[in-house]
């Protein structure tokens, strides 16, 4: 696939790509619609404080992690078209509730529920994988994610203007948020009718049981349990932070810790229920996959996407305080880190497609991230500002490119459970953000850059030891196992029985 191919709008797969990144763009636009309107909210509502806004910011990422896991399961069961459409329509409700919220409880709960819309990322990843061949998937996934992620930047650039000039008044921010929610719901309805799950009826491979990821050995099942623990367990970190901020009593926090523990236990039980019968029966050789690669890619997304979200949150303040810049200038310079996403992420996927070795590309990108953050850790006011900006863009190029390279590999690991693998890796990105942002509250910016550089080097080491080049990563089509064919035949048989019954 060439870059110029994205302009072939009559091509079915290109049309699907554009429809899907637009859906992703809109969901991220709505997801990040609070930050640019925060000052308007504070001016308009006299009972809101800066601490309330910080609390909403934490809630804004809280349920994204479990939502990505749950949506990943739903994808493998129902397909991305249904899941994406329903997600956009349903998430418009908390978005509207937040826009017109008149008390703290309403705003808190609606923002918490709305954080689930961040699961949209894994839906589009799965849809794109259904439409593109293995040899083109890196660029397609990178293009989708790069332009979709731009929705958050577009929200920051346009929402204040829409609130002030189009609507105006004290409630302008409410109407700006509400309109974005209604657009998302409308596009959800349009998406249902505008696209299919891949070019053929059989493109979407249904999994046997979507309640937990299938594995190939008893050892892999233990690794899956270990990988699952941080995904929900990290919510305990959020509860602790909210308690520390004084918004939650000790009793309330204890109850939430017990709930989180119960969810973790439930997930472990589901892993046993799904995999024990499969492993006792025996997994055919052609249906086995390399679970260590899933672990390696979880670590890369923790280190690259987690670092991206954390750095974007602190970079304006870093430039402002280190070089004595104004807030506007510091914000504009810091925005360069996010803008690189438009080019760097598709480039990461494209390089992964072209180099002929996706593992080697992944290793290069992760090492580059480590070098970049080490250089940022060395920055101080003695460095020329222009050099600091160049190092920031250099680092961002590797961060965003490695995200594209990560999802250039995932669809080739195990096609039938692409949704669950994408969901787990995507959730690890949010786990990384929560961990890094919590660490940032205890260290200086210099120490912070060295810590996330260490995270990148550790991920590089994990990839070196565990990541395996997927078989058929550049083939014309994805590998179909004997179990895939058996599931397909069972589905056809079930459809025939339903037809006869009618």
């Amino acid at each position: 696939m060439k870059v110029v191919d994205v302009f072939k709008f009559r091509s079915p797969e290109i049309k699907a790509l554009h429809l899907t990144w637009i859906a992703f763009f809109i969901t991220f636009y709505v997801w990040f619609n609070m930050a640019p309107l925060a000052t308007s909210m504070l001016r308009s509502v006299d009972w809101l404080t800066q601490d309330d806004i910080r609390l909403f910011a934490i809630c804004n990422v809280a349920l994204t992690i479990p939502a990505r896991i749950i949506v990943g399961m739903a994808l493998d069961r129902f397909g991305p078209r249904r899941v994406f459409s329903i997600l956009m329509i349903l998430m418009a409700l908390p978005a509207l509730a937040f826009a017109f919220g008149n008390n703290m409880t309403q705003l808190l709960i609606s923002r918490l529920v709305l954080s689930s819309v961040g699961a949209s990322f894994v839906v589009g990843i799965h849809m794109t994988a259904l439409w593109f061949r293995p040899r083109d998937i890196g660029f397609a996934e990178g293009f989708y994610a790069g332009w979709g992620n731009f929705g958050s930047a577009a929200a920051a650039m346009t929402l204040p203007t829409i609130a002030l000039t189009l609507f105006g008044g004290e409630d302008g921010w409410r109407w700006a948020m509400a309109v974005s929610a209604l657009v998302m719901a409308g596009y959800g309805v349009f998406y249902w009718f505008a696209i299919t799950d891949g070019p053929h009826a059989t493109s979407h491979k249904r999994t046997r049981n979507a309640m937990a990821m299938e594995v190939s050995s008893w050892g892999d099942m233990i690794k899956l349990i270990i990988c699952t623990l941080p995904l929900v367990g990290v919510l305990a970190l959020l509860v602790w932070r909210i308690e520390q901020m004084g918004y939650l009593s000790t009793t309330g926090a204890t109850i939430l810790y017990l709930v989180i523990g119960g969810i973790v236990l439930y997930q472990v039980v589901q892993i046993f229920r799904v995999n024990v019968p499969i492993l006792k029966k025996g997994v055919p050789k052609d249906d086995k996959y390399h679970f260590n690669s899933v672990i390696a890619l979880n670590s890369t997304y923790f280190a690259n996407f987690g670092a991206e979200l954390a750095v974007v949150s602190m970079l304006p303040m870093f430039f402002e305080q280190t070089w004595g810049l104004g807030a506007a200038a510091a914000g504009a310079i810091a925005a360069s880190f996010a803008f690189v996403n438009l080019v760097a992420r598709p480039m990461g996927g494209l390089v992964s497609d072209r180099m002929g070795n996706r593992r080697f590309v992944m290793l290069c990108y992760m090492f580059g991230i480590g070098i970049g953050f080490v250089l940022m850790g060395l920055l101080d006011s003695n460095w020329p500002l222009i050099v600091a900006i160049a190092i920031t863009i250099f680092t961002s190029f590797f961060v965003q490119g490695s995200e594209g390279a990560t999802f250039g590999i995932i669809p080739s690991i195990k096609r039938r459970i692409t949704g669950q693998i994408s969901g787990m890796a995507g959730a690890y990105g949010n786990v990384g953000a929560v961990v890094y942002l919590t660490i940032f509250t205890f260290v200086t910016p210099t120490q912070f850059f060295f810590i996330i550089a260490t995270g990148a080097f550790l991920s590089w080491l994990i990839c070196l030891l565990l990541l395996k080049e997927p078989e058929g990563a550049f083939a014309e089509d994805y590998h179909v196992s004997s179990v895939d064919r058996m599931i397909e035949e069972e589905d056809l048989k079930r459809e025939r029985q339903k037809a006869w019954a009618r």
Side-chain angles (χ1 to χ4, degrees), residues 298-376:
N298 289 344
S299 81
T300 63
Y301 219 59
F302 179 104
N304 54 43
F305 188 67
E308 178 191 343
L309 290 184
V311 169
V312 165
S313 303
M314 53 76 68
L315 206 54
M317 185 177 63
F318 172 70
F319 275 102
E320 189 176 347
Q321 293 179 349
T322 305
W323 282 274
L325 301 174
I333 292 172
S336 62
F337 195 90
F339 267 92
V340 174
N341 206 11
L342 284 177
V343 176
R345 188 149 180 163
M347 182 66 71
L350 188 64
V351 172
S352 180
D353 289 343
R354 295 290 173 82
M355 289 292 289
N357 189 322
R358 297 188 189 279
R359 177 179 178 274
F360 175 74
V361 171
M362 193 76 255
L363 286 168
C364 291
Y365 267 115
M366 294 312 297
F367 200 78
I369 292 176
I371 297 294
F373 281 128
V374 167
L375 291 174
M376 290 186 74

Side-chain angles (χ1 to χ4, degrees), residues 244-258:
Q244 292 291 309
M245 292 173 69
Y247 288 95
L248 194 61
S249 66
T250 303
T251 304
T254 303
I255 292 171
L256 289 176
Y257 289 140
L258 291 173

Side-chain angles (χ1 to χ4, degrees), residues 92-149:
L93 299 177
L96 287 170
F98 187 85
F100 296 111
N102 283 318
N103 58 66
M104 186 64 183
T105 303
Q106 187 177 347
L107 292 180
L108 184 67
I109 293 175
S110 56
R111 182 51 61 173
L112 196 62
V113 176
L114 180 58
S115 67
S116 302
V117 80
S120 61
F121 167 69
V122 298
V123 190
I125 285 290
H126 190 59
M127 177 63 92
T128 307
L130 291 178
W131 277 95
F132 286 86
R133 296 171 294 183
R135 67 181 187 184
D136 298 325
I137 194 64
F139 177 71
E141 299 281 27
F143 184 87
Y144 154 78
W147 281 87
N149 271 337

Side-chain angles (χ1 to χ4, degrees), residues 361-416:
V361 171
M362 193 76 255
L363 286 168
C364 291
Y365 267 115
M366 294 312 297
F367 200 78
I369 292 176
I371 297 294
F373 281 128
V374 167
L375 291 174
M376 290 186 74
L378 297 174
L379 292 175
D380 58 31
S381 58
N382 294 320
W383 288 65
L385 181 59
I386 189 68
V387 175
I389 295 172
I391 290 175
T392 300
I393 292 174
F394 166 84
T395 307
S396 177
F397 183 85
F398 279 94
V399 170
Q400 327 272 4
S402 67
E403 293 167 9
T406 299
F407 282 89
I409 298 177
I410 282 177
S412 299
I413 293 178
K414 185 66 179 173
R415 179 62 177 274
R416 192 171 68 242

Side-chain angles (χ1 to χ4, degrees), residues 31-43:
W31 189 18
F32 291 98
N33 64 10
M34 187 191 71
L37 297 174
T39 53
S40 299
M41 292 172 63
L42 290 172
R43 283 196 300 268

Side-chain angles (χ1 to χ4, degrees), residues 466-477:
L466 301 182
L467 184 61
K468 181 183 177 184
E469 180 72 14
E471 292 181 14
F474 300 93
E476 285 292 331
D477 208 347

Side-chain angles (χ1 to χ4, degrees), residues 66-89:
R68 286 187 169 184
I69 302 300
I70 295 168
V71 165
M73 295 174 181
L75 281 174
D76 292 331
R77 179 74 179 175
F78 302 108
R81 178 181 68 92
R82 293 185 181 91
V83 174
F84 220 156
S85 295
I86 292 172
L87 184 71
M88 285 188 278
I89 294 168

